[in-house]
């Protein structure tokens, strides 16, 4: 099975199992090293042994599953009888895992349809139409199907690991509890004809996503371990804010002169107002607004706000970032150490079940018993293992080179080091031509300078487009003269077409497509050519007297603009030619490909806070009944009730679409607060429309999203980029493009972890609950 996402493991302790995810199970504490003589046998349900005269296909099947466990960093502590292994491979097949992932996506997506529904074209409460509400039983029917799939999922997992392992696994027990609570809440909804105002199961749905990813669980453990250090910095921040709040209230106290009370009136009128003002200043969202009333009276007041920002924003906040990064990196190192143990343990277990008598076990030497595996049996195993094709080919090629036809334990482990290597893509050989003209073209267009020339031409094309855009920036589409733009586009597109065809001649079809930048160039060139032909057919360009008035499906200017956008996009071809840009681009791709689980953590947090926000603040903000007041410039700054038209307020800025009236708008509002720009506008509005305690919700979201998660993501970006940059320093630009980096989290920290010893591996194999090894 190919590795679909990098998985981290956690503690080796038995009571912290992780069977509820792709990376399920934990290792046990090491015991005393066993002796040198061993006999391997397998058990089914009740430790019933299968000795060396058993069906050899069972041992091959066990070895196949153990190797796949090693590739996926999964625990090997599961049932190993033939029927269970077939079920195990079926469960971890792509179709089952994708089906389970789709089910999780469906049950989470119900929040957009359930009451309050998000099915409206706008979230602006002034214009929002009444949304379509699903009939009772529609979403409930979909949900009960998903819950049945989850029940089947937890049943299969529990069976595969056995009762002894299940009862110590907190995640699987929690899985059952969440399913049971969801079913009970679902039954209440049905009994109340879907009229209940509070659905508890909506808040716990993210657990289904969380329990299915080992990396998310380990990240939560990391956060738990990091909380004491974070709490100490948060305490310093709290003391910092409280100290400056008291000093600020003393400095900006109410004066007898009303003209000097601007700072007091707006920001330091009372303790909650002063605290919230400085808390927002900590994020710089209200800087320099918060100091302007005092600063306009005396420039010396700026010292107070500058000192607050220097100590709070630039020292304490950055110290928190450093602590989160350091603690998270340390926990990743520990997790990667356990991941390496899992891989080595799975490979060692495969060796043990293959090397016993009757299954490739060979002679005894004078020094003692030596286990070895026959190469032909190993090749049978590799034919059935699901893994990346280039890794399989490299391992098989290395195994076939053993002269005596047998592989010992150390060599068996070394064979699978191919899993940790980068794949170097080899380009096919260039075609051989007998024609001197074709050979001359091949020599020219396979040279590096042709690529440089192509980049220069692409740059010139972009400069021409920019020049025309600047000249026509104030003209409408009907006023623009597209004649010269079309002539330029035709010239450049013709060059791109000739370049593509001659490169195909130089490298051949397979050689041309073996370069990613050629695929990118070729696709855009063909697309540009197709659009240009459509322009010729439709408008019979180039003719300067063409009627600019749009009479067709797409106006001429729209088609020209589409061509120009594609040309500008094509300029990205320079990225692979510059090493730093290539490394940065590949890092971004890897972040999307390998760190999906970290986005899942944020999704879980977003989901839970959005549901809480709907419970707490749905319908809290309503526009004034007389909407003409909003556009009336002569109204008073203050109006009755919580409505306010002060400059910079929620109402004056017309932030009406930002609300908690449905799930989709709640997500957008939480994102706007996470960015922290103008987040005080939202907190001010909800404290006016509800209570001042609403500030607790928004501060908790800011700490969770902007402080915690963003810093965790920054830590992974730094590690990923540093890893790839260090490895690419000794390579050329062409080699950087040819290498398919395996930059999973395990490999990023690979050089910092220690290999497990032979004694550690054998001690843990001895504790396998379903595979018993005797020495």
């Amino acid at each position: 099975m190919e590795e679909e996402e990098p998985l981290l493991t956690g503690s080796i302790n038995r009571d912290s199992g992780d069977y509820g995810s792709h990376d399920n199970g934990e290792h046990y504490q090491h015991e005393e090293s066993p002796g040198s003589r061993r006999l391997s046998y397998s058990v089914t349900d009740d430790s019933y042994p299968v000795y060396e005269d058993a069906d050899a296909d069972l041992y091959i099947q066990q070895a196949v599953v153990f190797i796949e466990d090693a590739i996926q960093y999964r625990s090997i502590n599961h049932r190993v009888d033939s029927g269970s292994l077939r079920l195990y491979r079926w469960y971890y097949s792509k179709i089952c895992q994708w089906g389970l992932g789709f089910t999780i996506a469906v049950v989470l997506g119900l929040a957009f349809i359930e009451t309050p529904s998000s099915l409206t074209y706008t979230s602006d409460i002034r214009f929002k139409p009444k949304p379509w509400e699903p009939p009772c039983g529609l979403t409930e029917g979909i949900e009960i199907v998903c819950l049945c799939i989850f029940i089947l999922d937890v049943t299969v997992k529990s069976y595969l690991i056995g009762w002894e392992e299940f009862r110590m696994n907190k995640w699987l027990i929690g899985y059952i509890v969440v399913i049971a609570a969801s079913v009970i809440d679902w039954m209440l909804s049905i009994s109340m004809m879907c009229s209940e105002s509070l659905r508890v199961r909506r808040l716990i749905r993210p657990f289904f996503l969380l329990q299915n990813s080992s990396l998310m669980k380990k990240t939560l453990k990391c956060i738990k371990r990091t909380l004491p250090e974070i709490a100490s910095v948060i305490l310093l921040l709290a003391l910092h804010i409280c100290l400056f709040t008291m000093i600020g209230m003393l400095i900006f106290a109410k004066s007898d002169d009303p003209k000097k009370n601007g700072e007091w009136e707006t920001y330091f009128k009372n303790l909650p107002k002063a605290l919230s003002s400085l808390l927002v200043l900590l994020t710089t969202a209200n800087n320099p607004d918060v100091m302007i009333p005092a600063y306009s009276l005396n420039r010396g007041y700026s010292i107070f706000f500058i000192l607050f920002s220097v100590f709070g924003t630039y020292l304490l906040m950055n110290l928190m970032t450093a602590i989160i990064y350091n603690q998270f990196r340390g926990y990743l190192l520990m997790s990667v150490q356990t991941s390496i143990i899992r891989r080595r343990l799975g490979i060692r277990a495969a060796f043990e079940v293959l090397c016993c008598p009757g299954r490739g076990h060979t002679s005894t030497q004078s020094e003692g018993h030596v286990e070895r595996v026959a190469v032909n049996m190993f090749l049978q195993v590799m034919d059935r293992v699901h893994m990346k094709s280039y890794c399989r080919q490299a391992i098989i090629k290395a195994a076939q080179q053993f002269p005596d036809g047998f592989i010992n334990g150390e060599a068996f482990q070394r064979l699978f080091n191919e899993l940790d290597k980068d794949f170097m893509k080899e380009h096919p050989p260039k075609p051989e031509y007998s024609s001197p003209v074709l050979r001359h073209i091949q020599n020219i267009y396979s040279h590096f300078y042709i690529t440089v020339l192509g980049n220069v031409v692409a740059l010139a094309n972009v400069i021409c487009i920019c020049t025309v855009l600047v000249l026509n920036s104030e003209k409408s589409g009907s006023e623009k003269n597209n004649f010269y733009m079309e002539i330029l586009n035709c010239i450049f597109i013709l060059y791109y077409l000739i370049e593509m065809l001659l490169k195909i001649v130089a490298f051949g079809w397979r050689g041309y497509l073996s370069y990613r930048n050629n695929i990118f160039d070729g696709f855009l060139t063909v697309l540009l050519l197709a659009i240009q032909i459509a322009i010729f057919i439709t408008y019979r360009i180039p003719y300067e007297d063409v009627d600019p008035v749009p009479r067709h499906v797409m106006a001429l200017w729209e088609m020209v603009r589409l061509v120009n956008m594609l040309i500008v996009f094509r300029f990205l071809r320079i990225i692979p030619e510059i090493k730093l840009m290539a490394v940065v681009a590949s890092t971004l791709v890897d972040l999307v490909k390998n760190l999906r689980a970290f986005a899942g953590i944020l999704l879980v947090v977003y989901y839970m806070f959005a549901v809480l926000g709907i419970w707490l603040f749905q319908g809290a903000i309503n526009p004034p009944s007389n909407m003409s007041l909003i556009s009336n410039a002569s109204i008073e700054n203050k109006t009755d009730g919580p409505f306010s038209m002060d400059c910079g307020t929620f109402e004056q800025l017309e932030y009406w679409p930002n609300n908690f009236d449905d799930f989709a708008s709640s997500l957008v509002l939480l994102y706007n607060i996470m960015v922290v720009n103008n987040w005080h506008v939202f907190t001010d509005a909800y404290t006016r429309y509800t209570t001042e305690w609403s500030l607790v919700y928004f501060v908790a979201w800011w700490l969770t999203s902007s402080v915690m998660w963003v810093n965790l993501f920054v830590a992974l970006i730094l590690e990923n980029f540093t890893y790839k940059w260090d490895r690419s320093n000794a390579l050329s630009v062409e080699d950087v493009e040819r290498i398919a980096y395996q930059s999973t989290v395990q490999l990023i920290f690979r050089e910092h972890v220690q290999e497990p010893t032979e004694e550690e591996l054998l001690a843990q194999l001895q504790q396998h609950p379903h595979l018993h090894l005797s020495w």
Side-chain angles (χ1 to χ4, degrees), residues 238-297:
L239 292 175
H240 172 72
I241 294 175
C242 291
L243 176 64
F244 273 83
T245 297
M246 291 184 289
I247 295 175
M249 293 186 70
L250 292 173
I251 295 176
F252 306 113
K254 185 176 182 180
S255 173
D256 294 332
D257 186 357
K259 296 180 180 180
K260 298 181 179 180
N261 288 334
E263 189 73 34
W264 170 82
E265 177 71 26
T266 308
Y267 300 106
F268 288 91
K269 191 172 184 177
N270 51 51
L271 183 61
K273 187 88 172 176
L275 279 172
S276 62
S277 298
L278 291 182
L279 178 63
V280 175
L281 180 58
L282 191 68
T283 64
T284 70
N286 61 350
N287 184 72
D289 297 354
V290 70
M291 63 179 275
I292 291 300
Y295 184 56
S296 62
L297 295 176

Side-chain angles (χ1 to χ4, degrees), residues 57 116 122 132 204 219 236 256 284 287 340 372 414 459 501 597 600 665-666 668 697:
D57 185 67
T122 179
W132 173 81
I204 59 179
T219 305
L236 283 175
D256 294 332
T284 70
N287 184 72
I340 298 301
R372 296 193 294 177
R414 285 200 307 268
L459 177 61
L501 295 176
S665 60
S666 300
V668 175
Y697 171 87

Side-chain angles (χ1 to χ4, degrees), residues 511-562:
Y512 180 83
L513 296 177
S514 66
Y515 293 88
R516 288 178 299 224
N517 56 337
N518 284 346
I519 297 175
F520 178 78
D521 284 351
F523 173 75
L524 289 181
T525 300
V526 172
L527 193 57
L528 286 169
L529 182 63
I531 297 175
Q532 198 64 48
I533 292 174
I535 292 176
F536 287 158
I537 295 174
T538 306
Y539 290 96
R540 300 185 183 280
I541 297 293
Y543 291 106
E544 191 172 0
D545 58 346
V546 65
D547 185 5
V549 179
R551 296 172 299 181
H552 305 273
V553 176
M554 182 179 289
L556 175 61
W557 167 242
E558 298 296 330
M559 299 184 76
V560 173
R561 186 165 58 176
L562 178 59

Side-chain angles (χ1 to χ4, degrees), residues 276-346:
S276 62
S277 298
L278 291 182
L279 178 63
V280 175
L281 180 58
L282 191 68
T283 64
T284 70
N286 61 350
N287 184 72
D289 297 354
V290 70
M291 63 179 275
I292 291 300
Y295 184 56
S296 62
L297 295 176
N298 191 317
R299 69 177 74 232
Y301 286 129
S302 63
I303 298 176
F304 170 84
F305 298 98
I306 292 173
L307 288 177
F308 177 83
S309 297
V310 168
F311 283 102
T313 305
Y314 296 107
L315 294 182
L316 292 178
M317 291 297 291
N318 287 326
L319 178 62
M320 180 176 292
T321 302
I323 288 176
I324 292 176
Y325 173 77
N326 185 65
Q327 292 295 320
F328 187 67
R329 188 178 189 276
Y331 187 77
L332 281 178
L333 282 172
M334 184 182 66
S335 299
V336 170
Q337 180 71 57
T338 310
S339 296
I340 298 301
I341 293 177
R342 282 192 171 186
R343 172 162 288 185
R344 301 297 178 254
L345 188 63

Side-chain angles (χ1 to χ4, degrees), residues 494-506:
L494 182 62
Y495 172 83
Y496 298 149
L497 179 62
I498 294 174
E499 180 191 45
M500 181 186 72
L501 295 176
L502 293 178
K503 280 189 175 182
I504 292 174
V505 172

Side-chain angles (χ1 to χ4, degrees), residues 131-150:
W132 173 81
E133 300 294 345
C136 181
L138 177 62
T139 58
E140 288 75 15
I142 297 174
E143 186 173 13
I144 194 61
V145 172
C146 296
L147 291 175
C148 289
I149 294 175
F150 294 144

